[in-house]
Amino acid sequence: GNFMLAHDYEDFPSDIFTVMMGAGATVTVGDSSTGNQTTYSCTDFLNADMTTKVLISMQIPFAAQQETMMTYKVSERHENAHAYVNASFRMTVDSTLTVTGTPTLAFGGIRAHACRATQTENYLVGKVLSNQNTLTTACNLMASELIPDSGPGDTKYRSQLSVNFFYKFYLSLLPNLPSSLASAATPFERPISTGEINYDTDPIEYPVSEYMPKIDAILQTSGEAHYADDTPVVQGTLYAAFVTSTQASADIESIDPSVALGMPGVVDFVSASDIPGENNVDTNVGVPAAYVEPLFASTSVVYYNQPIGLIVADSQSHADEAAKFVAVKYSNIQTPIVTIQDAINANSFFPEPTPFLSVNTITSGDVETGFSSSDQVFEGVVESPSQYHFHMETHQCVVAPEEDGRLVMHISTQWPASVQSLVSRVLAMPLSRITVGLKRTGGGYGAKILRSGIVGCAASVAAHKLNRPVRLIMNLNQNMEIQGKRHPYLTTYKIGVLNSGKVQALQLMYYSNGGATYDASMGSMNMALTTADNTYYFPNFSASGKCCRTNLPSNTYTRAPGCLP
Ligand SMILES: Cc1cc2nc3c(=O)[nH]c(=O)nc-3n(C[C@H](O)[C@H](O)[C@H](O)COP(=O)(O)OP(=O)(O)OC[C@H]3O[C@@H](n4cnc5c(N)ncnc54)[C@H](O)[C@@H]3O)c2cc1C
């Protein structure tokens, strides 16, 4: 695989390829269309057409008598970092320190693909290494023939690195090096790293400024911390996976789970008709009926990947696989509204029915007066994009029915009380019969304030219906597809300034992309407006906003929601 990446991508600085080029390895390639096999040198392999072909084997020659091979690499870090320059050298030197045969001097990170310093290789043939002139001429020749192309790192640095590698190699071939040079010839051994933190605090102020380790620190860094998914699996546990829409704006004609139900390990399909209470996971109060967020879509879908139900099976892989086979028929398929500009064009904004669900315009002074007293007035648009939360722990819930139908759940959430009240509404079950447990969240960044309710409710409906423990552990794909992200914003501004640079007036109009349901759109917008003037004083200021309704998963709180660059 590494060889093929080197073949296909000029900017991939493969270490293995450089090493094998230096070793004089050859590769055998098979052609699936003809059945023929061809053996290439590393250099020729780079130019071979690999269409319909596969790498079958690699031949690495044994070292000859008196042959030495060394490899080198310099990268940003020791682990998980590509080379700035790597090198692989092979040279045969006899007892008189004379180079016999042609050495191989291979480099990566100089040209697009790995290359050889052929002029230097040819020069070295028959030369005596103990002669100072051999070293000087070889290094100069190498510096002149290895001019780095564009690539990572400074070209002068990479050119110097390649010569330095050769210098180290050269010294390693010389016996009885003086002590001042010996360290250059041996590879650098990095000792095991240690760390120490020093707190420059004043004990007189304690407990203020006193060092207090985070309670979980040792557990988390040692990997012993338990998350919802670490809840032990009890007998009879079932595993759930969301079935999601494949249209962003359409009516649902029919939902047919029959194929999925016949697949291995599948126990049930849970959908809106299994909800004993309200099909409503909206956390806002006063949402107009047409905008309420259902737990499972049943009559229409308003975003791609909207949950329609759950497949429940005897294993996660069975549930994941079968979830793809629930057949949903759509009608009245509409072109989705995706961007803020789409929404503005379609006049698609969330209504503001209550003071709680409203955008609160911020004003001070009078912007029109400010503009008329300005020397210059500028107008423009600023856009800020979305952002995925990337919590390491995905949304997940493990829920089990207890003796008399009560539910006990472990869920990753930033708002357990909200999960409890949503489950209560969806199951028409008193709050007192629902226990929400939470040891810790493996990252939330706002995504688990309002959005974890869907996961808790979906798992609870399945557990309640089947009277079995259910684990709903979202995989990373579904986590990114179903759950919303940071609200993108588009802001128009008009600013009036004096020629001295003093601002007279600032008028802002914010548009956010709320996705398909209200969720945190009004809250984020109001935070945007209240933080819009940042730390500055504008004598005349106005900031207003509109939350766009689009056919995206509902965007949600994300660290410092609405605080825009
Ligand atoms: C964080 C990170 C750090 C890394 N650091 C380095 C580094 O410092 N140095 C370095 O050299 N690499 C580095 N890599 C790259 C890594 O070494 C390669 O991704 C890996 O070697 C690919 O090999 P694979 O066998 O897993 O190939 P795959 O990922 O399985 O395949 C890669 C490609 O080769 C094709 N392929 C695989 N086998 C064959 C075959 N027999 N015939 C034809 N085509 C085939 C595949 O179809 C695919 O297109 C890094 C990768 C990561 C993720």
Side-chain angles (χ1 to χ4, degrees), residues 1-2 4-5 12-16 53-55 73 80-82:
N2 194 286
M4 280 306 295
L5 294 180
F12 174 61
S14 163
D15 292 321
I16 297 175
K53 308 218 178 77
V54 67
L55 271 170
K73 172 180 180 178
N80 281 347
H82 285 150

Side-chain angles (χ1 to χ4, degrees), residues 1-6 8-9 12-17 29 45 50 53-57 73 75 77-83 86:
N2 194 286
F3 251 58
M4 280 306 295
L5 294 180
D8 290 351
Y9 301 99
F12 174 61
S14 163
D15 292 321
I16 297 175
F17 193 87
V29 169
F45 165 73
M50 287 296 288
K53 308 218 178 77
V54 67
L55 271 170
I56 293 175
S57 62
K73 172 180 180 178
S75 53
R77 299 175 302 280
H78 259 222
E79 315 295 335
N80 281 347
H82 285 150
N86 53 28

Side-chain angles (χ1 to χ4, degrees), residues 396-459:
Q396 46 193 256
C397 176
V398 177
V399 54
E402 298 258 299
E403 51 196 14
D404 58 354
R406 293 162 193 274
L407 290 178
V408 176
M409 73 169 65
H410 299 277
I411 183 165
S412 182
T413 181
Q414 291 172 265
W415 195 2
S418 169
V419 174
Q420 188 193 35
S421 64
L422 289 175
V423 173
S424 163
R425 186 205 286 165
V426 166
L427 293 185
M429 185 185 272
L431 289 170
S432 58
R433 290 170 63 78
I434 301 156
T435 304
V436 177
L438 167 71
K439 206 173 268 180
R440 56 174 65 78
T441 51
Y445 316 118
K448 294 175 182 169
I449 300 175
L450 304 181
R451 305 310 296 167
S452 47
I454 297 173
V455 184
C457 288

Side-chain angles (χ1 to χ4, degrees), residues 247-279:
Q247 289 294 335
S249 176
D251 292 338
I252 294 179
E253 281 290 294
S254 63
I255 303 170
D256 178 6
S258 54
V259 173
L261 289 173
M263 291 176 69
V266 174
V267 173
D268 203 356
F269 173 62
V270 176
S271 64
S273 58
D274 297 309
I275 296 174
E278 280 182 57
N279 187 8

